[in-house]
Amino acid sequence: MADKPDNNAYWAANIRLVTICLVIWAVVSYGFAILLRPMLSGIAVGGTDLGFWFAQQGSILVFLVLIFFYAWRMNKMDRDFGVDEQ
Amino acid sequence: MDQTVLNIIVVGLSFALYFGIAIWARAGSTSEFYAAGRGVNPVVNGMATAADWMSAASFISMAGLIAFVGYSNSTFLMGWTGGYVLMAMLLAPYLRKFGKFTVPEFIGDRYYSNTARIVAVVCLIIVSITYVIGQMSGAGVAFARFLEVDADLGLYIAAAVVLVYAVLGGMKGITYTQVAQYVVLILAYTIPAIFISLQLTGNPIPGLGLFSNMSEGTAGAGTPLLVTLDGLLTDLGFSEYTTGSSPWLMALFTLSLMIGTAGLPHVIIRFFTVPRVADARWSAGWALVFIALLYLTAPAVGAMARLNIMTTMWPNGVEGEAVAVDDLPDWFETWAVTGLLGVEDKNGDGRIQYYNEGSEAMTALAAERGWEGNELTTFNRDILVLANPEIANLPGWVIALIAAGGIAAALSTAAGLLLAISSAISHDLIKSVFNPSISERGELLAARLSMVGAIVVATYLGLNPPGFAAQTVALAFGLAAASLFPTLMMGIFSKRMNSAGATWGMLAGLISTCLYLFLYLGWFFIPGTNALGSDQYLFGIPPTHFGPIGALLNFIVAYVVSNATEEPPQEIQDLVESVRIPRGAGAATGH
């Protein structure tokens, strides 16, 4: 198991990336769309406010970007750490 | 041509397509039956996942669910999409790397325990059976509405169609029929939505139209669509569309749907069909792309259809006269026949006044204008999707497409659920527990027989829905969130988690969630047997919102029990190591 330290570093990097993504995931949906909506109520979007837009459109779009970003970063990281499928 | 004949032709063509695919994609091995031979392209799998995921409820009811409540029900939109972020980052790639066929198989092997495996099978079957009841009855209703057959007969037809392609093709047949079903349902959903958005706002993308100004020639031209809708609603005594209440409960419910989504076995197993770990990550993204096409459109469909119905009822604005009975549009008559819309001219003035008679503010106005109650007496929320093509004056084939789309949505989800159930029985119970020496051919036969058995049970339950049919969504999502999701996640992210911890954790999640549901909704959902009323919720948490609490209990119990007992053997810790890194996934395929 000569490559063991590498695997640990790979896993730590994965956890870091997942954490960042999930913080954004929570902020846009639970934050902007629900709990922080009153704070954003000053920003008008098409007859309502930014929070409403995040609740019905924005969150879903951010989720999409997050998953593709994660897939791209991880697939690149697999190669950098030499743990990709051959 | 008569609309019913056209519906039958279009639905019949879609069935012919599904059968053709089933014959082409026959499963010859257990690997093909359980995981489509692991040769599915990630984009194709994404599309199949979208159809697997989007049920009759998503297709027919969700727009109405949002339109009748407005902002507060955005929880469904975020909850049923946000779960894919959890699945993509916390479960799918690692479970694909593990390289087996079912969800209980991972739990049984990772926790080196047949007890854990059997508890997982029990959780999976409760979740999937409750979920499939709604799909079967949904398919029956779709048949009844469009083909004018009896709902029971419709259910038999649906069961027979699923039987053919699911038993023949297993996961392989189901995957490729789901792709076809996705295409049918997304066209059926978006075509009317695009036309309605163009008519109301001039914007062809419904999700953008929702936030645009009303176009020339419509009521409220030049003002934003949502302002017009809010104005009409408040004038008639309804609550405003864009405001909501109790943000903490909204957040909790969204979390319940998200965790539940990530823990649904029939969705998780879809990610076992792609060739590599990297593909599982991409595939989750593609799945959400295809789901988002419908979910971004749904809130627009809901709001626009609601607006259209309001302006139909009040063609001269709320200040003017209500619509005359004789001037109701043709589609109104068509749907009144089905019982989804109903009017009653209570004050006998030959006009139909639609307003919120429960609103105190309206009482004075109603008395002043001679209204004697709301006269749009039946207004089923499903109508907002079903009548869309007619509201937009689209040709008959688009209406027929909605019929095929509703049926496709129900069938694709039912097939995915039935596969999850049958593979848990044939693979996890028969192969892993009762008869490990069963041959490949024997197991394939067992898988097919389990599928037939699952369809028979689902059909029976669809015909005789237990009293709790309406509560099944809460049950399925609550249990998936409380039992399966935490156990799967800990199996990957905690090397220290052992078999006792996982088993007790799952049981804690399962039992606490069932108990909470039964206490408030009645034992086994039998009305009147509930011990506590809705004014006695613990910390004000309704039973439908309990999933995250059950999941938390699962995590806590698992952590405490695991730390009080021995750590898992070295080979299990090595297994967790290997699940975490993608290298070697190809070799781990099958057995």
Side-chain angles (χ1 to χ4, degrees):
Chain A
M1 286 285 194
D3 57 346
K4 196 137 193 181
D6 256 349
N7 285 355
N8 286 338
Y10 168 79
W11 188 246
N14 177 32
I15 299 279
R16 208 159 40 238
L17 185 59
V18 169
T19 311
I20 294 169
C21 290
L22 289 186
V23 167
I24 299 172
W25 164 84
V27 167
V28 293
S29 54
Y30 302 103
F32 294 167
I34 304 177
L35 301 173
L36 302 178
R37 189 181 173 203
M39 289 169 62
L40 300 175
S41 60
I43 308 170
V45 176
T48 176
D49 56 82
L50 190 62
F52 183 89
W53 181 81
F54 265 106
Q56 302 217 326
Q57 302 279 314
S59 299
I60 301 176
L61 295 170
V62 175
F63 297 157
L64 268 175
V65 173
L66 281 176
I67 298 184
F68 278 104
F69 171 73
Y70 176 77
W72 168 73
R73 283 289 301 175
M74 280 309 287
N75 293 346
K76 185 168 170 295
M77 223 153 75
D78 290 352
R79 290 190 294 276
D80 293 349
F81 282 86
V83 296
D84 57 323
E85 299 138 285
Q86 287 146 324
Chain B
M1 195 189 303
D2 180 49
Q3 185 63 45
T4 308
V5 178
L6 195 57
N7 289 354
I8 292 173
I9 294 173
V10 172
V11 172
L13 283 175
S14 71
F15 284 179
L17 178 65
Y18 307 153
F19 289 142
I21 294 170
I23 293 166
W24 168 72
R26 282 187 313 278
S29 66
T30 49
S31 169
E32 287 188 343
F33 195 90
Y34 294 136
R38 300 197 202 279
V40 181
N41 176 287
V43 182
V44 171
N45 184 56
M47 209 178 265
T49 308
D52 197 59
W53 169 238
M54 292 190 289
S55 56
S58 285
F59 186 86
I60 298 174
S61 305
M62 193 173 63
L65 210 56
I66 297 163
F68 275 69
V69 179
Y71 166 75
S72 299
N73 271 358
S74 310
T75 49
F76 291 103
L77 293 169
M78 291 187 284
W80 284 340
T81 53
Y84 281 84
V85 178
L86 296 178
M87 196 172 318
M89 295 175 195
L90 303 179
L91 301 180
Y94 320 105
L95 295 179
R96 170 62 193 86
K97 170 63 198 297
F98 178 65
K100 296 289 179 68
F101 293 135
T102 70
V103 169
E105 190 172 22
F106 174 77
I107 292 177
D109 289 4
R110 162 62 183 84
Y111 296 114
Y112 49 99
S113 153
N114 271 345
T115 313
R117 192 189 311 269
I118 290 168
V119 173
V121 170
V122 170
C123 294
L124 180 148
I125 288 181
I126 297 178
V127 170
S128 303
I129 289 270
T130 48
Y131 210 104
V132 85
I133 298 171
Q135 301 311 312
M136 298 307 278
S137 43
V141 171
F143 274 98
R145 254 169 223 170
F146 294 110
L147 308 184
E148 290 173 18
V149 297
D150 181 56
D152 286 357
L153 178 64
L155 204 153
Y156 286 122
I157 302 174
V161 173
V162 173
L163 187 81
V164 171
Y165 71 79
V167 172
L168 205 58
M171 183 58 119
K172 197 174 165 199
I174 288 172
T175 301
Y176 294 104
T177 37
Q178 280 174 338
V179 170
Q181 284 158 340
Y182 177 78
V183 174
V184 172
L185 79 86
I186 201 69
L187 286 176
Y189 205 83
T190 48
I191 290 174
I194 289 170
F195 279 95
I196 290 177
S197 181
L198 274 172
Q199 286 167 0
L200 289 179
T201 67
N203 196 319
I205 299 169
L208 295 177
L210 180 61
F211 297 91
S212 301
N213 289 344
M214 302 287 292
S215 50
E216 293 301 313
T218 56
T223 51
L225 185 142
L226 284 167
V227 172
T228 313
L229 181 58
D230 270 347
L232 277 172
L233 287 171
T234 43
D235 283 350
L236 294 171
F238 297 99
S239 55
E240 215 176 40
Y241 198 77
T242 52
T243 54
S245 53
S246 54
W248 286 104
L249 281 183
M250 271 181 77
L252 190 65
F253 188 54
T254 307
L255 187 60
S256 179
L257 295 177
M258 284 190 187
I259 306 179
T261 300
L264 285 178
H266 72 285
V267 184
I268 295 174
I269 56 173
R270 285 239 46 96
F271 293 96
F272 298 171
T273 66
V274 295
R276 300 179 311 146
V277 174
D279 297 327
R281 297 184 186 127
W282 287 127
S283 199
W286 285 109
L288 193 55
V289 167
F290 295 119
I291 292 168
L293 282 177
L294 192 144
Y295 275 57
L296 292 172
T297 307
V301 167
M304 290 173 186
R306 182 123 196 233
L307 183 62
N308 270 327
I309 290 188
M310 309 285 275
T311 48
T312 303
M313 302 314 291
W314 296 97
N316 311 307
V318 181
E319 304 300 313
E321 290 286 354
V323 66
V325 179
D326 299 334
D327 293 344
L328 285 170
D330 290 343
W331 56 264
F332 210 96
E333 318 271 316
T334 321
W335 287 99
V337 175
T338 63
L340 297 179
L341 281 176
V343 294
E344 186 194 340
D345 188 7
K346 292 177 183 164
N347 59 357
D349 65 349
R351 296 180 179 277
I352 300 300
Q353 285 91 20
Y354 168 51
Y355 67 102
N356 184 6
E357 60 188 7
S359 156
E360 286 190 19
M362 295 305 288
T363 322
L365 186 68
E368 183 189 319
R369 297 183 62 175
W371 302 345
E372 291 169 15
N374 172 36
E375 298 180 347
L376 181 61
T377 45
T378 315
F379 187 2
N380 186 296
R381 65 180 183 215
D382 294 353
I383 203 78
L384 295 188
V385 169
L386 297 174
N388 250 347
E390 287 139 300
I391 296 175
N393 276 323
L394 295 175
W397 64 268
V398 182
I399 301 169
L401 202 56
I402 288 262
I407 293 169
L411 290 182
S412 57
T413 307
L417 288 159
L418 290 164
L419 184 84
I421 297 168
S422 65
S423 61
I425 293 170
S426 62
H427 197 64
D428 296 311
L429 290 185
I430 298 177
K431 163 93 179 170
S432 299
V433 177
F434 296 119
N435 184 7
S437 62
I438 191 169
S439 69
E440 158 96 15
R441 278 190 55 197
E443 191 188 344
L444 187 57
L445 180 65
R448 289 202 157 109
L449 291 177
S450 313
M451 178 73 85
V452 174
I455 292 174
V456 171
V457 172
T459 309
Y460 175 80
L461 290 172
L463 288 171
N464 308 290
F468 59 85
Q471 318 290 353
T472 52
V473 172
L475 183 67
F477 279 88
L479 287 181
S483 62
L484 294 170
F485 177 81
T487 310
L488 290 170
M489 190 184 151
M490 287 184 292
I492 298 156
F493 286 83
S494 163
K495 264 196 247 181
R496 179 64 181 76
M497 186 50 56
N498 64 17
S499 104
T503 311
W504 285 107
M506 261 191 291
L507 287 173
L510 178 72
I511 293 170
S512 63
T513 307
C514 285
L515 203 62
Y516 200 79
L517 284 163
F518 289 160
L519 279 176
Y520 291 99
L521 300 175
W523 292 96
F524 300 96
F525 305 104
I526 298 163
T529 60
N530 53 316
L532 299 165
S534 59
D535 52 341
Q536 294 164 296
Y537 291 150
L538 206 57
F539 304 113
I541 300 168
T544 43
H545 296 43
F546 192 76
I549 317 291
L552 189 65
L553 289 173
N554 184 336
F555 279 123
I556 292 172
V557 169
Y559 180 81
V560 170
V561 173
S562 173
N563 277 306
T565 45
E566 278 179 17
E567 67 173 36
Q570 188 57 44
E571 72 258 25
I572 295 299
Q573 302 197 26
D574 292 345
L575 171 74
V576 178
E577 284 273 317
S578 97
V579 164
R580 290 176 176 183
I581 59 163
R583 176 154 293 179
T589 306
H591 289 263

